[in-house]
Each structure stands twice: as structure tokens, then as C-alpha cells.
Amino acid sequence: MIGPINIYEKEKIINLPMGVYDVYLIGGWYIDLLSFNFLLSKINGEEVIKPEEATLKSQSYYKRKRAKKIFSFSVNRGGNYKIEFKGQNSLILRKQSLMIGYLFGKNIETNSIEIFIERN
């Protein structure tokens, strides 16, 4: 498991062996991605990985905090990758996924949102 990584962190380098990975947002279960995304660029510039939005957005917990799977990607060549986030300000994250929580809940501040990456 890799993380947690704040979505505003710059120039974060992570080591990824070959495999399939899932990406989870930490803090809530209601998520509206809008234009939020990220790229993984291999340090030597050979490869760029653009994660795909997960079709099944499973809910779980990470250190007693709510987490929801949002992206998946695969790494064909292991190595060191730089992670670059885009559209962080457009991301909406709330604790509750139920309608009442959506209507009356507050958005979680984007500067405190983190992700973690888990290998399948």
C-alpha cells in the first residue's frame, strides 16, 4: 500500500512494481470527481499512465476513516513514478453517501483530502 498522499502534494515520487492498482480517496463516501484526475510519469520519461475511473466504486475504511475506490490503473514496467494531480479544486467529497448526508452535509476541505494506492 502506498500513501496516504495529499492531493496538493507536488513532485511526489513513488515506486510501483508491475501490477494492477486501485486508488482510494480518504475521508468520505460521496464523491463527485468533476475534473479531478492525476497522471503517473516514469522518472526517465518513457511511460505515462493515466488512471481510468473505477466502474465499481467500492467503499471501505483506511485507518478508521472512510475511503472509496475511484481509479484503477496497471503498470507494465515497474520503477519510480512521479504523481501529478489535476483539478483538485473541482473535487467534491462528503462523509455520507446517503441522500440526507448529501443534502445537509458539508464538503470536506480539498486541502485535507488524501489518497492511497493499493496493489491488487
Side-chain angles (χ1 to χ4, degrees), residues 7 33-38 70-71 85-88 90-91:
I7 62 171
L33 294 174
L34 300 172
S35 64
F36 175 73
N37 208 332
F38 69 94
I70 53 166
F71 293 112
F85 295 100
K86 298 177 184 235
Q88 299 97 313
S90 71
L91 180 64

Side-chain angles (χ1 to χ4, degrees), residues 68-81:
K68 190 158 189 172
K69 182 166 92 171
I70 53 166
F71 293 112
S72 296
F73 64 91
S74 61
V75 174
N76 297 326
R77 288 194 207 138
N80 290 325
Y81 287 83

Side-chain angles (χ1 to χ4, degrees), residues 25-37:
L25 270 178
I26 303 170
W29 286 341
Y30 174 82
I31 296 171
D32 196 349
L33 294 174
L34 300 172
S35 64
F36 175 73
N37 208 332

Side-chain angles (χ1 to χ4, degrees), residues 11-30:
E11 304 294 324
K12 176 73 176 179
I13 307 293
I14 56 176
N15 187 306
L16 297 171
M18 188 172 81
V20 177
Y21 294 86
D22 293 325
V23 179
Y24 292 81
L25 270 178
I26 303 170
W29 286 341
Y30 174 82

Side-chain angles (χ1 to χ4, degrees), residues 4-10 85 110-115:
I5 302 168
N6 187 289
I7 62 171
Y8 284 98
E9 198 166 333
K10 298 207 184 291
F85 295 100
T110 56
N111 59 357
S112 67
I113 297 174
E114 298 175 317
I115 66 162

